[in-house]
Amino acid sequence: MIYPRLKVARDLLADDGVICISLDDNEIRNLQIVCDEIFGASNRICLFTILSNPRGSQNSKLVSSIHEYILMYCKNIKELTLKGLDKDAESLAEFKEIDEKGRKYRLLGLRKRGGAWRKEDRPNMFYPIYVNPTNGSCSLQRNDDFFIEVIPQRPTGELSRWTWSKEKFFEESYLLIGKRVNRMGENEAWDIFRKDYIDNENGEEKTTKIRTIWEEKETNYQNAKNEIKALFGNSEIFDYPKPTYIVRKLASILYNEEEDIYLDFFSGSATTAQAILMLNAADMGKRKYIMVQIAENITDAKSEAYKAGYRNICEIGKERIRRAGKKIKEDSPLT
């Protein structure tokens, strides 16, 4: 069922477009195999893990599942550019330092941490750096001004390596600063840090790369129920809706062009449509959307949707778009 739809989806996708597919772990392996064939494994961007149910599902006999996935592919990885997300308050708080021009920055260690940190892993990136203790400036040459020698070394004494090559050091040494650090067993220890500015040379605040694990409270699927209730006065009108936050976050990392179209060919309750309307209201965008949903009949006379007069899923989706549009106009009259 899904294979021919994905084939058509790829043909419709813009050269710099992406496709995001939400699912649980029942079909993740099969879907990835199909998508690798249709879109190409090299065009697989990532598999996001979404904290969708913090309390845990009790449907499984052995474990309590608290997450779902979003699989993301693009049409052509060479054409794709993601712009990242605005920094949150916690990230912004890290930029405590201010330079002589008034620009904010934070200090990041130049020594490699994490994988491949040993000297033997990248021997060309092990070299001494000499610090001027008066102002913390750094040089590769030892002289009367630069005489504090610093090598990449872990607190345990093991030799490590820098994250910069000597070539990069020559190009951007003005970003480096040597500082005294507290290190057990040493009376005077020094380490090298680099300045990471909060903005670029044009004064624009840098964004941050989207992370593969989402655990914000907004990803909780209970929020989707609350959004349905806010529009219909009843959270049980539609089963298993998705939060608009997820769609808005994914769309926010894409560079928005006036003719961009967001296609959801399993639209359900039209979450994507509401999310795009909300984004447009927030940033004056002109994104368009197309929702596709088979007119699946609602036959359970005891269901809340049936009692409310809806006879198929499409009717719920169309009414949601009407109500969401009306609410957004009321909340944002100037846009």
Side-chain angles (χ1 to χ4, degrees):
M1 186 274 286
I2 197 67
Y3 190 96
R5 285 160 175 78
L6 290 176
K7 288 276 284 185
V8 173
R10 185 190 180 281
D11 292 340
L12 293 173
L13 200 59
D15 288 340
D16 61 346
V18 299
I19 180 170
C20 304
I21 309 170
S22 174
L23 73 164
D24 61 20
D25 57 3
N26 288 305
E27 293 289 351
I28 186 63
R29 177 177 176 274
N30 292 328
L31 180 63
Q32 189 162 306
I33 292 172
V34 170
C35 287
D36 279 354
E37 178 178 332
I38 293 174
F39 296 97
S42 62
N43 291 318
R44 186 194 318 138
I45 300 172
C46 73
L47 179 67
F48 294 110
T49 301
I50 313 297
L51 181 61
S52 57
N53 185 1
R55 293 183 178 180
S57 171
Q58 302 305 314
N59 293 334
S60 172
K61 181 180 178 181
L62 300 176
V63 298
S64 177
S65 178
I66 66 171
H67 69 283
E68 289 193 359
Y69 300 104
I70 293 177
L71 189 59
M72 179 187 256
Y73 282 77
C74 62
K75 179 78 166 280
N76 186 346
I77 197 72
K78 295 179 181 179
E79 298 285 339
L80 179 67
T81 303
L82 299 180
K83 68 178 181 180
L85 299 168
D86 292 335
K87 289 178 168 57
D88 57 26
E90 184 178 349
S91 298
L92 291 173
E94 296 178 8
F95 295 83
K96 301 175 182 178
E97 310 292 334
I98 300 178
D99 69 8
E100 63 280 0
K101 296 181 180 179
R103 293 178 65 194
K104 291 184 177 181
Y105 66 92
R106 62 180 176 176
L107 292 176
L108 300 177
L110 191 67
R111 176 172 57 83
K112 174 67 175 175
R113 291 157 172 81
W117 57 266
R118 294 177 175 81
K119 172 186 176 182
E120 293 77 16
D121 294 324
R122 298 289 295 275
N124 291 338
M125 298 176 81
F126 176 89
Y127 52 86
I129 293 176
Y130 299 97
V131 178
N132 180 336
T134 303
N135 56 20
S137 57
C138 301
S139 172
L140 293 182
Q141 303 296 323
R142 181 171 190 151
N143 56 40
D144 292 341
D145 294 322
F146 298 87
F147 56 86
I148 301 294
E149 182 180 272
V150 183
I151 60 173
Q153 188 174 20
R154 304 185 92 191
T156 55
E158 298 166 288
L159 295 181
S160 184
R161 67 174 181 89
W162 303 120
T163 55
W164 284 11
S165 65
K166 286 186 177 181
E167 289 75 15
K168 187 171 179 63
F169 182 99
F170 283 121
E171 293 173 0
E172 301 188 24
S173 61
Y174 63 92
L175 291 174
L176 299 181
I177 185 170
K179 296 187 69 174
R180 284 189 177 91
V181 294
N182 294 322
R183 190 172 291 168
M184 189 175 296
E186 296 186 45
N187 294 328
E188 185 172 299
W190 289 73
D191 206 348
I192 308 298
F193 300 86
R194 66 177 177 88
K195 295 178 182 179
D196 179 37
Y197 282 93
I198 197 171
D199 57 3
N200 59 29
E201 295 297 332
N202 297 323
E204 299 168 335
E205 187 175 293
K206 295 176 183 176
T207 57
T208 183
K209 288 182 180 178
I210 190 169
R211 295 178 179 177
T212 55
I213 297 179
W214 299 8
E215 50 188 357
E216 311 95 298
K217 63 181 185 299
E218 291 87 353
T219 62
N220 187 338
Y221 278 17
Q222 181 58 44
N223 290 319
K225 286 284 191 181
N226 295 339
E227 289 177 323
I228 292 290
K229 185 176 181 179
L231 294 176
F232 291 89
N234 187 335
S235 64
E236 303 303 320
I237 288 291
F238 190 85
D239 294 330
Y240 309 115
K242 298 283 192 296
T244 58
Y245 174 83
I246 292 177
V247 179
R248 286 184 284 129
K249 184 171 180 177
L250 289 168
S252 294
I253 64 172
L254 304 174
Y255 284 96
N256 179 35
E257 298 177 7
E258 191 164 314
E259 298 303 316
D260 280 350
I261 299 174
Y262 292 77
L263 168 64
D264 187 340
F265 52 96
F266 286 96
S267 70
S269 67
T271 296
T272 298
Q274 182 177 350
I276 298 306
L277 289 171
M278 293 170 74
L279 275 178
N280 284 344
D283 66 5
M284 301 295 290
K286 295 184 178 180
R287 304 170 186 85
K288 303 174 180 66
Y289 59 80
I290 299 174
M291 300 292 105
V292 180
Q293 174 60 50
I294 190 170
E296 182 179 337
N297 289 328
I298 299 171
T299 57
D300 183 2
K302 295 181 180 179
S303 70
E304 295 299 317
Y306 194 93
K307 292 177 184 177
Y310 301 105
R311 294 298 177 261
N312 63 58
I313 293 178
C314 289
E315 291 180 6
I316 298 175
K318 287 188 286 186
E319 183 61 22
R320 180 178 187 175
I321 292 171
R322 295 187 194 103
R323 295 189 183 204
K326 181 180 178 182
K327 185 176 188 302
I328 289 169
K329 282 185 177 182
E330 291 172 351
D331 294 344
S332 308
L334 297 180
T335 60

